[in-house]
């Protein structure tokens, strides 16, 4: 057989050739007999969500029993590696570069090694893809190459990414590690079966096994298995040159296919999926035998152990047990590395457990892995750039990282660094380059986080400022509108008094009088007449009503008069607003419109009650608004022809107008609703009550009644009150009616609160305006 | 047992900056041997003297900066600067000339910019340029190749060279027979060619006998010595081939173009490539990584820039040789080149 690399392969930029140190641990077969006295099973042995515990302290568990289930899609189950008792579920230090502690399930084996009921798949070819994936997920399989990504997720790429090549990563390029090598030598058939199952799931056009030529036994074993299973059509074993880091997923893909995983993408983007050989074996066992992932093959090597080799070790086995088993020389052990010497991380605690990603424990002496040499200055020799498999410029990245010029580091694609360590390895100045990159990446991540946070804060602030400005502008616009309306109303009144007889003066006088009294009771009764009688009618029909009531000099009259005056004001306000709006709809106006619509939408119950609207109620808020406005227009026309010189707004309404109309309509609705008087709804009660209250004293709260009201009604009530107060001459009255409102505020929704606020605002404005009005009239 | 918490990688290739510098110093030996063979011990003594000055200056400044002196001296970068300067200066350059050049190189060009790795300009060339501008007479009198010189009595021994460089030594040591030694100086082939006056190239080669035969041969061999050393360094992966090759190619192509259009006015390419300091410059000066461009493409541009500038200055500038100025000018440009020649990173469509 020929152990030269295949000729047709591609290559990747850079790479290094560190001493392999693989012979030490391949002399003996894989050991299997080691049952520790305690197993520590972290819930987080994978990338993704931490698993959810299924057992409690004191539970008896069987070998292979699921003791923690996946929590979400990207997560992995944990199983009991042997039978025994759960003695604790507590935080324990994890074998992770961070050295942090996480929740672990501690099991004390009972020594019986009793299996739980397993459910092997009889014929996986007959099983649906989803069921197979579920089996794999249930078996708690994660990538065994090192990263530990849940395998079922990786085997389930999105539908729009068809997979044409399934790659089995057998490169094992890191020095010292031989776990995959030994696995392939001894379990080649399972490797191929696992690959076959994965191929069944993914349906690729071809399967490639990338293996470095320094593993001739493994290559032979795999080839044998492929031949035996007659899979030569599907599976090709590619012998690749020995070069670190050819086992990097991106690098292996480049070697085998010449293609590059696009920046920020995943292999599936170019139709590829890459799995480790160990993962393939785990998949095979999960499907064929029904066994979950409860053990893995780990290399124990380094000069600080008296014998080096590979062992199929139960997950959760404490590393000190493992080291003791291989005869650790405590006095010589200087650096304990999990993983290889290039990308592994040091452990400072031997009680840490073996996890799913633990492919190697390197117990090195000081001589073997000497302490880092003193860092010298970078002379930009460029050896790092020669070695970089990602074609970066490590020397530049180093300068940028050191000087905290992270934007430049990013523009030099710092984030594409795979931290393989090739640059540090070749650096003649012994600069720990990868550490600098990790630092820079961390800083960039923090900066990004802070930027996002401050962006959010800024957005919130800007939104708030905008809202406040809008409210301010709204207020201002209203104020102005009212001032004009007041002037117009005054003029209109004068005109009306001129054209009509002196009866028209009576209401005016009444208003002035009422201003002091603040008797809002007018509304209930007055509305009863106006709404029932004249809403659909024309001017003449109203006029008599006024005539009829005037002599009584009751609150009703006064109220009516008030209403007339107010209607005039409203009408004018509308015109002014419309004119203002013509310059273009500002966001403010749109917001107003929206709010008006919302307000409308929030009280659909009002619709049927409103007699004036009943015939006109449209399906949409818009239509309703229109309808309302139309109704209002009528009302306005009815109430005071002379004052209402703005009948034309009825046609061609913009959103703004509609909104305005709505708001105006709401206030008039309130009246007309009350006026209808027929349905004895809570609303009316409220109205009536308010009328009473107004008669007695405007400041007296009718709390018990209000409580009964629904939020909607309360809101309405408030608006009605506001409308009431609009007519108020006394600002003091406005401020006192304020109080019951605030007592009421709590149960209201934000919308209603906003409405209430606006109502109050309107009330205040109106009070001022009408005060001015009154003065003018006087 | 105390376990270390160390970030990966845990393995590094043995060696340090000092090893790299030493290797480069060793690689200058063939060229130095040729220089010594043809021009006597002058260059050798220059290098020793320059190294002493360099170590002194380096130690002084590092101590002043409060850094560990031994640690910095052991990177041998100061000695390499001294060696390169010693090789560049005329063999019998007076001691004070070397002193000025080296101390300026180390103190100003290197340490004032932050020491090793921080200097934007090649220190050796800064020192060289300084004395070239300040002391043109001393700098342009190169020895005639002595081994092949006609009169054996004029052959110059180590002591003679020493006394020539340090004239005061001859006064102190009375034991040595004081013998006034008139060194035969002459221009380098490039210098001679530049000042050939109204002669055509053909006339120049026929009249300037010494230049055309003896001196020319000596210079060719010296250049080949540096070439050998340079190829060795490429073999040892101390630097890549890109800068020297692109520089030599640019210079060769430039001279070829001009020579082929007007052979009577322009020297042929061989004179440019093997005469003067071209090879020393291409393999030992231009490749100084600190001040050169870093990416592969950048190195090609950088080398070509030096080659073109060398040719321009040699033909139309005031100086017969131009390595120092060309390198310094390209040092200015190197960061810009770096900015525009980032390599395409894995998985990225194109460079920015």
């Amino acid at each position: 057989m020929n152990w030269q690399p295949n000729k047709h392969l591609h290559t990747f930029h850079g790479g290094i050739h560190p001493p392999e140190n693989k012979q030490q641990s391949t002399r003996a077969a894989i050991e299997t007999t080691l049952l520790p006295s305690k197993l520590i099973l972290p819930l987080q042995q994978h990338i993704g969500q931490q698993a959810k515990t299924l057992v409690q302290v004191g539970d008896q568990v069987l070998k292979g029993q699921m003791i923690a289930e996946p929590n979400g899609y990207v997560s992995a189950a944990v199983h009991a590696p042997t039978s025994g008792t759960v003695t604790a579920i507590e935080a324990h230090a994890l074998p992770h570069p961070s050295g942090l502690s996480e929740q672990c399930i501690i099991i004390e084996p009972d020594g019986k090694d009793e299996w739980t009921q397993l459910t092997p798949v009889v014929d996986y070819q007959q099983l649906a893809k989803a069921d197979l994936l579920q089996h794999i997920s249930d078996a708690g399989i994660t990538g065994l190459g090192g990263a530990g990504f849940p395998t079922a997720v990786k085997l389930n790429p999105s539908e729009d990414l068809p997979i044409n090549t399934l790659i089995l990563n057998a490169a094992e390029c890191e020095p010292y590690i031989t776990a995959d090598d030994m696995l392939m030598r001894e379990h080649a058939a399972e490797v191929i079966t696992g690959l076959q199952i994965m191929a069944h799931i993914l349906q690729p056009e071809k399967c490639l096994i990338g293996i470095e030529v320094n593993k001739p036994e493994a290559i032979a074993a795999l080839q044998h298995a492929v031949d035996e299973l007659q899979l030569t059509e599907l599976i090709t074993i590619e012998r690749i040159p020995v070069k670190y880091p050819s086992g990097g997923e991106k690098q292996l893909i480049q070697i085998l296919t010449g293609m590059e995983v696009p920046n920020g993408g995943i292999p599936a983007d170019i139709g590829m999926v890459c799995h480790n050989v160990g993962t393939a074996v785990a998949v095979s066992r999960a499907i064929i035998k029904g066994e979950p992932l409860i053990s893995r093959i780990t290399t124990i090597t380094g000069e600080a152990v008296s014998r080096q080799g590979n062992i199929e070790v139960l997950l959760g086995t404490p590393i000190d047990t493992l080291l003791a088993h291989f005869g650790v020389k405590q006095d010589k052990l200087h650096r304990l590395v999990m993983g290889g010497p290039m990308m592994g991380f040091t452990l400072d605690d031997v009680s840490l457990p073996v996890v799913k990603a633990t492919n190697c424990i390197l117990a090195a002496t000081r001589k073997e892995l000497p302490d880092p040499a003193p860092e010298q200055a970078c002379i930009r020799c460029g050896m790092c750039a020669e070695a970089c498999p990602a074609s970066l410029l490590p020397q530049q990245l180093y300068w940028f990282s050191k000087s905290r010029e992270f934007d430049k580091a990013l523009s030099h694609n710092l984030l594409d660094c795979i931290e393989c360590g090739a640059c540090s390895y070749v650096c003649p100045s012994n600069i720990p380059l990868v550490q600098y990159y990790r630092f820079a990446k961390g800083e960039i991540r923090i900066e990004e986080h802070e930027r996002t946070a401050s962006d959010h804060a800024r957005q919130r602030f800007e939104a708030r400022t905008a809202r406040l400005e809008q409210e301010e502008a709204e207020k201002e616009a209203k104020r102005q509108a009212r001032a004009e309306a007041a002037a117009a109303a005054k003029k209109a009144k004068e005109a009306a008094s001129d054209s009509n007889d002196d009866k028209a003066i009576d209401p005016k006088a009444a208003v002035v009088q009422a201003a002091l009294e603040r008797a809002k009771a007018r509304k209930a009764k007055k509305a009863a007449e106006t709404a029932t009688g004249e809403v659909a009618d024309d001017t003449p029909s109203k006029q008599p009503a006024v005539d009829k009531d005037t002599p009584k000099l009751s609150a009703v009259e006064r109220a009516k008069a008030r209403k007339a005056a107010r209607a005039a004001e409203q009408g004018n306000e509308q015109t002014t607003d419309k004119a203002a709006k013509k310059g273009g709809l500002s966001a403010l106006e749109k917001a107003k419109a929206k709010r008006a619509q919302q307000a409308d939408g929030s009280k659909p119950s009002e619709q049927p009650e409103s007699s004036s609207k009943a015939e006109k109620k449209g399906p949409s808020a818009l239509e309703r608004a229109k309808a309302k406005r139309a109704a209002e227009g009528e009302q306005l026309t009815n109430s005071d022809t002379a004052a209402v010189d703005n009948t034309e707004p009825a046609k061609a309404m913009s959103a703004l107008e509609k909104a305005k109309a709505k708001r105006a309509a709401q206030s008039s609705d309130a009246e007309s609703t009350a006026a209808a008087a027929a349905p004895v709804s809570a609303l009316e009660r409220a109205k009536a009550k308010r009328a009473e209250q107004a008669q007695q004293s405007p400041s007296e709260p009718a709390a018990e009644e209000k409580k009964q009201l629904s939020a909607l009604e309360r809101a309405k009530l408030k608006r009605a009150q506001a409308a009431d107060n609009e007519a108020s001459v006394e600002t003091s009255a406005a401020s006192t009616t304020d109080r019951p409102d605030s007592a009421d505020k709590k149960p209201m929704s934000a919308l209603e609160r906003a409405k209430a606020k606006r109502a109050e605002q309107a009330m205040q404005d109106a009070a001022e305006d009408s005060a001015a009005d009154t003065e003018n009239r006087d | 047992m105390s376990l270390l918490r160390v970030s990966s990688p845990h393995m590094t290739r043995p060696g340090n900056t000092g090893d790299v510098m030493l290797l480069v110093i060793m690689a200058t030996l063939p060229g130095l041997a040729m220089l010594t063979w043809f021009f006597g011990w002058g260059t050798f003594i220059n290098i020793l003297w320059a190294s002493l000055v360099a170590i002194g200056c380096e130690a002084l400044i590092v101590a002043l900066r409060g850094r560990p002196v031994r640690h910095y001296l052991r990177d041998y970068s100061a000695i390499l600067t001294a060696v390169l300067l010693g090789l560049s200066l005329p063999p019998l350059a007076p001691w004070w000339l070397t002193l000025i050049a080296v101390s300026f190189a180390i103190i100003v060009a290197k340490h004032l910019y932050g020491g090793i790795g921080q200097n934007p300009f090649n220190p050796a060339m800064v020192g060289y340029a300084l004395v070239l501008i300040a002391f043109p007479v001393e700098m342009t009198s190169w020895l005639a190749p002595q081994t092949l010189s006609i009169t054996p009595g004029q052959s110059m021994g180590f002591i003679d060279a020493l006394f020539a460089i340090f004239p005061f030594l001859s006064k102190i040591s009375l034991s040595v027979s004081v013998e006034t030694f008139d060194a035969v100086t002459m221009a380098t082939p490039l210098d001679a060619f530049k000042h050939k006056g109204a002669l055509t190239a053909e006339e120049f080669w026929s009249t300037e006998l010494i230049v055309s035969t003896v001196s020319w041969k000596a210079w060719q061999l010296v250049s080949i010595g540096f070439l050998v050393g340079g190829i060795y360094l490429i073999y040892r992966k101390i630097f890549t081939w890109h800068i020297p090759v692109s520089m030599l190619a640019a210079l060769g192509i430039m001279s070829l173009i001009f020579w082929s259009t007007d052979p009577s006015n322009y020297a042929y390419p061989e004179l440019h490539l093997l005469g003067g300091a071209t090879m020393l410059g291409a393999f030992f000066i231009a490749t100084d990584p600190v001040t050169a461009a870093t990416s592969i493409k950048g190195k090609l541009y950088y080398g070509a820039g030096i080659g073109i500038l060398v040719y321009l200055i040699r033909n139309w500038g005031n100086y017969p040789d131009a390595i120092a100025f060309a390198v310094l000018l390209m040092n200015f440009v190197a960061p810009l080149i770096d900015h525009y020649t980032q390599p395409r990173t894995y998985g990225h469509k194109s460079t920015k």
Side-chain angles (χ1 to χ4, degrees):
Chain A
M1 232 184 235
N2 160 25
W3 301 130
Q4 290 304 304
N6 290 352
K7 289 274 189 294
H8 63 271
L9 293 173
H10 308 263
T11 186
F12 64 91
H13 179 266
I16 52 170
H17 296 91
E20 292 177 23
N21 284 310
K22 287 179 187 264
Q23 304 77 25
Q24 302 96 307
S25 52
T26 53
R27 292 190 206 107
I30 301 172
E31 295 180 34
T32 48
T33 51
L34 179 63
L35 188 64
S37 58
K38 181 170 107 171
L39 291 166
I40 304 151
L41 293 147
L43 296 175
Q44 180 90 63
Q45 301 184 37
H46 52 267
I47 289 174
Q49 288 287 312
Q50 180 172 304
K52 253 191 315 200
T53 318
L54 293 177
V55 291
Q56 286 173 347
V57 177
D59 283 4
Q60 293 290 316
V61 291
L62 293 174
K63 184 175 187 172
Q65 180 185 332
M66 194 189 283
I67 54 173
E69 62 178 1
N71 182 14
Y73 183 57
V74 183
S75 185
V78 181
H79 299 78
T82 185
S83 57
T85 317
V86 176
T87 56
I89 299 173
E90 61 187 18
H92 190 280
L94 289 194
H96 187 271
S98 69
L100 291 176
S101 292
E102 272 294 352
Q103 284 297 108
C104 294
I105 298 174
I106 319 277
I107 293 176
E108 200 181 295
D110 56 14
K112 292 182 213 152
D113 211 23
E114 192 182 335
W115 275 99
T116 184
Q117 183 68 38
L118 298 180
T119 50
V121 175
V122 182
D123 183 1
Y124 70 85
Q125 311 257 10
Q126 303 300 318
L127 219 58
K129 181 184 155 187
D131 295 332
L132 279 174
L133 289 173
Q134 190 57 50
H135 263 90
I136 291 168
S137 172
D138 287 345
I141 300 174
T142 64
L144 297 183
F149 192 80
T151 300
V153 179
K154 216 171 164 185
L155 279 173
N156 192 18
S158 87
E159 291 294 328
D160 50 340
L161 296 175
I163 300 304
N164 54 50
T165 311
L166 171 58
I167 294 170
L168 207 54
N169 188 345
E172 200 167 53
C173 60
E174 273 235 17
Y176 285 99
I177 309 177
T178 57
D180 288 349
D181 186 4
M182 294 307 292
L183 177 79
M184 288 185 282
R185 289 190 204 187
E186 299 190 16
H187 302 278
E190 278 185 304
V191 171
I192 300 302
T193 309
L195 178 59
Q196 216 181 340
I197 295 169
M198 291 184 190
H200 176 70
I201 294 170
L202 290 169
Q203 295 294 322
E205 287 157 29
K206 58 184 173 185
C207 297
L208 303 175
I209 302 178
I211 181 165
E212 281 190 350
V213 293
N214 59 3
K215 304 175 187 60
E217 294 91 343
I219 296 170
L222 285 181
Q223 194 62 62
H224 181 72
V226 170
D227 293 343
E228 204 147 77
L229 290 162
Q230 299 183 332
L231 290 167
T232 43
E233 291 275 301
L234 177 71
I235 299 170
T236 314
I237 296 169
E238 299 280 15
R239 298 184 301 275
I240 63 172
V242 179
K243 179 163 94 167
Y244 178 86
S246 62
E249 186 175 69
K250 291 175 169 181
Q251 281 64 41
L252 186 63
I253 286 172
Q254 197 176 11
I255 293 170
L256 295 178
T257 67
M259 292 170 80
E260 292 179 11
V261 180
N263 165 41
I266 55 168
D269 293 336
I270 50 170
M272 295 182 199
V273 166
C274 192
H275 283 282
N276 174 266
V277 282
T279 315
V281 172
V283 166
S284 166
R285 287 184 187 169
I287 301 296
I288 306 296
K289 297 183 183 169
E291 290 177 13
L293 182 63
I294 53 168
S295 67
R296 69 154 297 139
I297 292 170
T298 298
T299 304
I300 313 296
T301 188
E303 283 166 22
V305 286
S306 48
R307 60 195 173 87
Q308 293 86 16
N310 282 277
I311 181 166
E312 181 159 0
V313 61
L314 296 180
L315 299 178
T317 303
I319 283 162
D320 46 6
T321 310
L322 207 52
L323 288 175
H325 183 71
F326 281 86
V328 66
K329 304 166 199 161
Q330 294 287 359
D331 52 328
K332 287 204 168 175
L333 179 59
H334 182 63
R335 206 187 300 192
L336 187 63
V337 179
M338 182 176 286
M342 297 304 297
M343 292 185 79
F345 52 92
T346 50
L347 306 175
D348 52 6
D349 181 359
V350 287
S351 72
L352 298 170
V354 168
V355 291
K356 290 173 184 176
T358 307
N359 51 5
C360 180
I361 302 289
L362 171 56
T365 59
R366 185 189 288 271
K367 204 178 143 204
E368 201 173 12
L369 295 182
D371 290 343
E375 179 182 335
Q376 290 175 295
C378 172
I379 53 168
R380 309 199 337 146
C381 63
M383 291 183 194
C384 46
E386 291 296 302
C388 181
S391 300
L392 297 167
L393 290 175
Q395 73 277 47
Q396 304 289 76
L397 292 175
Y398 158 74
W399 287 112
F400 300 147
S401 302
K402 196 173 183 177
S403 56
R404 306 181 66 100
E405 293 174 88
F406 299 132
D407 48 341
K408 279 192 187 166
L410 282 175
S411 82
H412 278 69
N413 301 325
L414 172 68
L415 299 185
D416 284 275
C417 167
I418 58 169
E419 299 180 18
C420 68
C423 50
S424 300
Y425 179 80
V426 297
C427 180
S429 299
N430 297 310
I431 301 169
L433 291 163
V434 181
Q435 250 170 290
Y436 279 100
Y437 307 150
R438 287 196 187 109
F439 158 74
K441 284 178 183 180
E443 291 291 303
I444 288 167
R445 241 173 266 135
I446 291 168
E447 271 183 17
E448 244 161 44
H449 181 78
E450 282 171 357
R451 202 177 309 131
T452 327
S454 72
D455 278 355
H456 281 161
R458 203 190 58 240
Q459 279 163 9
R460 275 200 304 274
F461 175 74
E462 283 172 357
R464 182 174 178 274
T465 314
R467 181 170 52 76
L468 292 178
E469 277 171 7
Q470 174 192 319
E471 282 174 7
E472 194 54 45
E474 226 172 301
K475 241 193 281 177
E476 191 53 44
K478 233 186 260 174
R479 217 169 267 151
Q480 213 161 5
R482 285 223 175 74
E484 284 171 38
K490 193 185 175 203
K491 221 183 278 171
K493 286 255 161 71
E494 281 161 8
S497 58
D498 288 348
S499 61
N500 292 338
D501 57 352
D502 54 357
K503 279 172 205 157
I505 300 161
D506 286 336
K508 190 184 170 188
V511 166
V512 177
Q513 199 186 346
L516 291 170
E517 246 182 282
R518 214 73 314 272
K520 295 305 157 30
R522 89 223 178 265
K523 199 169 275 169
K525 281 167 202 166
K526 148 228 78 182
E529 284 134 290
T530 36
T532 46
E534 76 295 18
V535 164
D537 293 354
D538 46 359
T539 326
S541 74
K542 188 190 172 181
Q543 222 44 50
V546 177
D547 284 341
K548 193 171 50 182
D549 284 337
T550 315
K552 289 180 192 166
L553 267 177
S554 71
V556 178
E557 290 157 278
R558 286 196 300 270
K560 229 199 216 165
R562 269 239 41 78
K563 194 193 171 217
R566 188 180 60 247
E569 276 173 41
Q570 278 176 347
N572 274 300
E573 180 189 340
Q574 235 172 321
T575 359
T576 330
D577 277 341
K578 193 179 71 182
K581 163 230 63 209
K582 262 175 192 151
L585 275 178
S586 73
L588 163 67
E589 288 160 334
K590 275 186 293 220
K592 260 190 221 173
K594 204 166 163 195
R595 204 169 39 233
Q597 275 187 339
Q598 276 178 335
D600 188 39
S602 73
K603 34 178 161 168
S605 64
E606 158 193 4
Q607 303 284 339
E609 294 166 6
S610 166
S611 60
S612 62
K613 252 190 310 179
E615 70 267 45
K616 283 175 185 167
K617 81 180 156 194
S620 76
L622 187 82
E623 281 164 297
R624 281 198 304 268
K626 252 188 224 176
K628 249 181 236 176
R629 193 178 177 284
E632 188 201 24
E634 278 171 58
Q635 252 180 325
L636 292 171
T637 328
N638 296 340
S639 58
D640 205 324
T641 338
V644 183
D645 51 359
N646 61 327
T647 31
E648 76 284 355
K651 61 197 168 197
M653 280 182 272
S654 75
L656 167 66
E657 288 172 275
K658 281 185 296 233
K660 283 276 143 75
K662 252 232 58 60
R663 219 182 8 250
Q666 272 165 0
S667 48
S668 58
D669 265 356
E671 293 161 39
S672 55
T673 313
V680 194
S681 74
L683 173 64
E684 271 121 349
R685 278 204 307 272
K687 288 270 153 78
K689 174 225 78 206
R690 199 195 51 238
E692 275 170 27
Q693 176 204 347
Q695 269 173 332
Q696 291 159 2
S697 148
S699 63
E700 189 183 305
E704 71 280 62
E705 277 228 35
K706 275 184 188 169
K707 253 176 241 156
Q708 290 167 4
L709 301 178
S710 75
L712 164 67
E713 286 155 343
R714 277 199 301 267
K716 253 223 186 131
L717 166 60
K718 205 162 278 167
R719 191 176 294 284
Q721 272 183 342
D724 244 351
N725 286 317
E726 243 169 6
S728 158
V729 182
E730 288 165 326
T731 18
S732 65
S735 61
T736 38
T737 41
D738 219 47
R739 219 169 287 139
D741 283 357
S742 59
D744 234 296
K745 250 168 209 168
K746 262 178 275 164
M748 289 187 201
S749 77
L751 171 65
E752 285 154 345
R753 274 200 303 273
K755 260 196 224 167
K757 220 189 233 169
R758 209 173 44 238
E760 277 168 28
Q761 191 63 54
M763 153 170 89
Q764 226 161 343
D765 293 348
E768 285 161 22
D769 290 345
S770 44
D773 197 2
T774 319
E775 276 165 32
N776 287 344
R777 271 178 286 182
D778 293 338
Chain B
M1 174 187 65
S2 65
L3 291 172
L4 280 179
R5 187 179 276 274
V6 190
S7 166
S8 70
H10 308 284
M11 240 180 162
T12 55
R13 192 159 64 183
N16 55 43
T17 313
D19 298 341
V20 174
M21 299 291 175
L22 272 184
L23 206 63
V24 177
I25 292 170
M26 304 286 274
T28 62
L29 288 181
L32 174 62
M34 286 296 135
L35 276 174
T36 309
W37 176 259
F38 287 110
F39 301 102
W41 291 97
T43 302
F44 185 75
I45 296 166
N46 271 348
I47 288 176
L48 288 184
W49 168 234
S51 299
L52 274 176
V53 173
I55 291 170
C57 291
E58 177 95 350
L60 175 72
I61 300 295
V62 169
L64 279 177
R65 293 175 65 193
R67 306 287 172 93
V69 175
R70 280 169 63 92
H71 177 74
Y72 277 92
L73 283 183
R74 252 183 284 170
D75 65 28
Y76 301 115
S77 61
I79 295 177
L80 179 58
T81 301
V83 168
L84 294 178
L85 259 175
L87 289 169
S88 312
L89 295 172
L92 293 186
W95 62 274
W96 50 266
L97 192 77
T98 308
L99 176 70
I100 291 170
V102 173
S103 54
F104 190 76
I106 299 291
I107 295 171
V108 177
K110 184 179 176 187
H111 278 291
L112 285 193
Y113 284 98
I116 182 170
Q118 307 277 353
N119 47 301
F121 303 108
N122 187 318
M125 288 304 102
V126 172
Y128 183 87
L130 173 78
V131 291
L132 181 60
I133 294 165
F135 312 103
V137 178
E138 285 82 359
M139 288 299 288
T140 44
S141 53
W142 198 277
L143 274 183
Q146 54 172 302
T147 321
L148 302 176
S149 57
I150 304 123
T151 42
Q154 284 185 331
S155 91
M156 200 177 186
F158 181 82
I159 300 294
D160 295 329
L162 193 66
F163 287 169
I165 293 167
F166 301 95
F168 54 87
L169 285 182
S170 58
K171 288 166 198 155
I172 298 162
S173 59
L174 296 170
S175 58
V176 181
S177 60
V178 182
E179 186 183 319
T180 22
F181 179 82
D182 288 322
V184 179
T185 62
M186 59 177 295
T188 65
L190 276 171
D191 202 8
F193 188 88
K194 184 164 184 72
H195 298 109
K196 64 185 165 54
L199 298 174
T200 64
E202 291 85 353
E203 287 166 341
F204 169 77
W205 290 116
S206 55
T207 52
E208 296 272 341
L209 193 70
I210 296 168
V211 169
S212 59
T213 57
V214 182
S215 172
W216 176 221
K217 224 165 237 159
W219 276 104
Q220 279 176 307
L221 285 170
V222 168
S223 288
I224 287 167
F226 287 123
L227 175 64
V228 168
I231 289 171
Y232 172 71
L233 289 180
I234 291 175
Y235 166 75
R236 290 295 304 268
K237 295 187 175 167
I238 299 300
F239 49 76
T240 60
W241 55 266
H242 304 88
I243 291 176
V245 168
S246 75
M247 173 185 158
L248 295 176
L251 181 59
I253 290 167
M254 287 288 283
S255 54
L256 189 67
I257 291 169
F258 283 93
W259 173 71
S260 57
T261 51
D262 187 3
S264 41
N265 266 321
Y266 297 102
Y268 49 88
E270 204 186 339
L271 181 66
H272 279 290
L273 293 177
L274 297 179
T278 306
M279 286 298 165
L280 175 67
F283 288 98
F284 293 92
I285 308 288
T287 52
D288 167 34
V290 175
T291 55
T294 46
S295 66
I296 301 274
K297 233 197 291 177
K299 285 176 183 171
L300 292 174
Y301 291 141
Y302 178 81
I306 293 175
I308 291 167
L309 281 173
V310 164
Y311 191 80
L312 296 180
I313 297 172
R314 276 181 183 176
N315 273 300
W316 297 286
N318 282 330
Y319 293 93
D321 209 341
I323 300 294
F325 294 116
V327 167
L328 290 174
L329 284 172
M330 287 310 286
N331 286 166
F332 273 110
V333 193
L336 188 74
I337 295 176
D338 276 342
H339 183 79
Y340 286 106
T341 56
Q342 277 184 51
R344 187 187 67 87
T345 306
Y346 178 102
H348 286 253
K349 285 210 176 64
S350 59
T351 52
K352 283 165 200 152

